[in-house]
Amino acid sequence: MDDFVDIALTVNGKPYRGRCEPRKLLVDFLREDLGLAGTHAGCEHGICGACTILFNGQAARSCTTLAVQADGAELLTIEGLAGDGGLHPLQQAFHDHHALQCGFCTPGMLMTALDFLNTVEQPTEKQIREALSAVICRCTGYDNIVKAVAEVAKAKQG
Amino acid sequence: MKPPKFAYHAPAALEEAIQLLERYQGNARVLAGGQSLVPLLNFRLLAPEALVDLRKVPGLADIRVSQDRIHIGAMTRQRAAEVSPAVRQHLPIMKEALGWVGHLPTRTRGTIGGSIAHADPSAELPMVLLALDGEVFVRGPSGARTIAADDLFDSVFTTTLAPGEIIAEVRIPPMDAHAGFAVEEYARRKGDFAIVAIAAIVEGNAERCTRARLVAAGAGGRPVRLRACEEMLQQRGLDAQTVEAASRKAAESVTPTADPVASADFRRHLTGVLAKRALGRAIKLLEVPSHG
Ligand SMILES: Cc1cc2nc3c(=O)[nH]c(=O)nc-3n(C[C@@H](O)[C@H](O)[C@H](O)COP(=O)(O)OP(=O)(O)OC[C@H]3O[C@@H](n4cnc5c(N)ncnc54)[C@H](O)[C@@H]3O)c2cc1C
Ligand code: FES
Ligand code: FES
């Protein structure tokens, strides 16, 4: 049995190479091997959404994905969200609306909202709530998160 | 949580994948989107000797329309199917069902073939595959064959696929452009697995129902056709009174078992309520000239 496999992938625009056991979860690979600990591991079975990243441009759970499955993929994690110009509009809106408390769910919320806003133009509040139901928050009661995402959706329409 | 150790293979051809599965003699698993398999590994509910990842096998993620079938490659991501123009046009009930399958971030990875092979009794895709008279095209050590949905689903998480067999494609006849259809579902939170879900397809009008198809998920160990309900509608029409009686029939005809999520009585009750709701919406669509 081959114990280790080599993988090469792009994370936040930078190329990375790694060597890991096939059983290594992508979330652990990001945190432990690449030192990108902004992606959080909560339930580790797909339910809570804390580990959500963008996988080839689409939101995906990094706890239900093996690191080997990301060989050749392009990922975006929370560390890549803010650009040179400062916070991403979603991050700024979360800040403005007090949309986080402990912050554990926040990376997953932001990455989920990012993909959602890329996919759905002019979302209704119902659609926003439905999309965010993919991520569990134990602190905020969701209202301020919904407001933050709604504000960015509105700003995008210009 | 860490999955147990396994060997990992990502063959570049389906033949090779089949040979690998044969070599491990039933101790290897196919890996598709991993949205069901990886959680099972994380919990160590499964400990296969090897995983055979299909991600490098070419041609498994195409959606193609032939003369009498929509062909959906097994590795088509659920989200890709959800936004596919061919699915929207020819299989609108599948598009509607996909909106109920987990969440957007699970649908980007989860596949059509994976959901069907997993055969979760409350899953939406097996339910619509049966409602649409779909079949799976399977490749295995002893060649290729097609299996009709009704012959594929056996019991809880169990299909009639032989060891070493891989679903390559799902084949579904297009829906009648004038058919009315609806998926109704009850879960405690949107995105959770359904407690009960219903797929309904109707053709005809209030006086004469030429065809009715109702399938329930979560009301037994596999998706179940609500034949007594279908027959009543086909005999008597789609008027409100018949819909009411047929929905009661639907509830009476299922034999769900109790589990920690819901009692058998609750599942039976939901079957009737959701059948009525689904029929109501499906019949409304019949009045619209065309949709999609
Ligand atoms: C939070 C969450 C919520 C979910 N909610 C729902 C829901 O509401 N409804 C629902 O239906 N599902 C739901 N799911 C499960 C769904 O996302 C999975 O996509 C689906 O059940 C399995 O598809 P997969 O491609 O991920 O398959 P995998 O997990 O890779 O494989 C599942 C099983 O099928 C086998 N298999 C896969 N592909 C093939 C093939 N081509 N041929 C033969 N065998 C194969 C594998 O060996 C394995 O045994 C949910 C999952 C999560 C994490
Ligand atoms: S840690 Fe991945 S969904 Fe909870
Ligand atoms: S801010 Fe604490 S879990 Fe969401």
Side-chain angles (χ1 to χ4, degrees):
Chain A
M1 186 189 289
D2 261 340
D3 266 335
F4 282 82
V5 285
D6 290 307
I7 60 176
L9 72 175
T10 307
V11 186
N12 304 329
K14 273 186 260 168
Y16 286 91
R17 289 188 167 279
R19 205 172 155 67
C20 65
E21 278 189 289
R23 63 171 168 162
K24 186 135 207 169
L25 302 177
L26 181 56
V27 63
D28 294 331
F29 181 76
L30 289 168
R31 292 173 58 85
E32 296 165 5
D33 295 48
L34 304 188
L36 297 169
T39 299
H40 292 163
C43 67
E44 295 181 86
H45 66 284
I47 302 292
C48 76
C51 67
T52 307
I53 57 163
L54 293 202
F55 189 108
N56 292 335
Q58 298 188 324
R61 314 289 213 212
S62 60
C63 73
T64 51
T65 306
L66 301 171
V68 283
Q69 289 178 287
D71 185 32
E74 270 190 45
L75 311 184
L76 185 75
T77 68
I78 189 67
E79 287 89 348
L81 193 55
D84 297 336
L87 293 182
H88 183 277
L90 271 168
Q91 289 172 306
Q92 188 61 50
F94 269 54
H95 179 90
D96 295 345
H97 287 274
H98 191 53
L100 61 148
Q101 291 179 30
C102 79
F104 193 84
C105 70
T106 313
M109 281 287 183
L110 287 166
M111 302 317 273
T112 303
L114 183 66
D115 185 15
F116 170 68
L117 292 182
N118 286 340
T119 313
V120 183
E121 281 170 32
Q122 308 190 14
T124 60
E125 185 187 318
K126 187 164 175 267
Q127 285 176 306
I128 295 174
R129 286 188 180 273
E130 187 176 320
L132 296 178
S133 73
V135 189
I136 292 174
C137 176
R138 291 282 90 133
C139 304
T140 62
Y142 302 98
D143 256 11
N144 289 346
I145 300 177
V146 174
K147 282 183 196 144
V149 174
E151 184 185 85
V152 178
K154 214 166 154 210
K156 272 186 95 170
Q157 290 159 36
Chain B
M1 278 190 285
K2 302 288 165 273
K5 269 185 194 262
F6 51 78
Y8 174 82
H9 302 276
L14 203 57
E15 295 72 27
E16 212 185 311
I18 293 162
Q19 282 163 15
L20 280 161
L21 291 175
E22 255 197 306
R23 186 186 345 137
Y24 285 99
Q25 300 182 336
N27 294 317
R29 286 261 173 177
V30 169
L31 174 64
Q35 298 305 293
S36 296
L37 186 52
V38 177
L40 289 170
L41 295 171
N42 288 356
F43 282 125
R44 300 201 172 200
L45 290 170
L46 286 179
E49 239 178 90
L51 294 189
V52 178
D53 191 345
L54 298 183
R55 74 188 167 95
K56 289 188 183 162
V57 177
L60 282 188
D62 300 335
I63 300 180
R64 200 162 50 80
V65 181
S66 71
Q67 212 163 29
D68 56 355
R69 293 276 187 283
I70 317 304
H71 303 245
I72 305 176
M75 285 295 283
T76 304
R77 306 287 169 180
Q78 290 153 9
R79 185 167 177 191
E82 194 184 354
V83 300
S84 147
V87 171
R88 188 184 59 215
Q89 188 186 345
H90 300 293
L91 305 170
I93 196 171
M94 181 180 230
K95 181 183 164 65
E96 186 174 331
L98 280 161
W100 290 96
V101 179
H103 301 279
L104 192 111
T106 66
R107 296 198 288 272
T108 61
R109 303 286 307 152
T111 66
I112 300 292
S115 172
I116 288 164
H118 193 55
D120 188 311
S122 63
E124 293 84 1
L125 288 174
M127 170 179 78
V128 291
L129 189 73
L130 184 58
L132 291 168
D133 291 323
E135 57 197 20
V136 290
F137 174 66
V138 168
R139 301 266 310 270
S142 44
R145 62 175 178 139
T146 54
I147 311 172
D150 200 28
D151 300 324
L152 177 70
F153 301 113
D154 186 55
S155 53
V156 183
F157 298 119
T158 310
T159 65
T160 55
L161 287 180
E165 278 188 326
I166 296 175
I167 299 176
E169 195 175 86
V170 173
R171 296 176 176 170
I172 306 175
M175 290 170 70
D176 183 296
H178 303 289
F181 63 90
V183 174
E184 284 286 339
E185 164 163 343
Y186 180 78
R188 302 227 187 262
R189 299 182 318 163
K190 181 85 204 284
D192 284 2
F193 274 99
I195 295 177
V196 172
I198 301 276
I201 303 171
V202 291
E203 289 165 32
N205 54 43
E207 287 80 52
R208 211 174 98 72
C209 168
T210 48
R211 187 166 171 274
R213 205 28 102 73
L214 274 96
V215 177
R222 49 156 278 172
V224 278
R225 279 243 340 242
L226 304 172
R227 286 178 202 271
C229 172
E230 291 171 2
E231 277 159 23
M232 188 182 271
L233 296 166
Q234 281 161 191
Q235 279 159 13
R236 298 198 210 159
L238 297 171
D239 59 282
Q241 230 180 349
T242 307
V243 167
E244 180 77 42
S247 304
R248 264 202 309 276
K249 243 302 124 14
E252 286 161 12
S253 67
V254 292
T255 50
T257 46
D259 64 17
V261 178
S263 68
D265 273 349
F266 185 41
R267 286 182 193 275
R268 204 173 297 118
H269 170 73
L270 282 175
T271 304
V273 171
L274 295 172
K276 189 174 157 189
R277 272 187 212 163
L279 282 169
R281 274 210 294 126
I283 292 166
K284 265 219 183 84
L285 269 187
L286 276 182
E287 291 147 21
V288 183
S290 87
H291 44 75

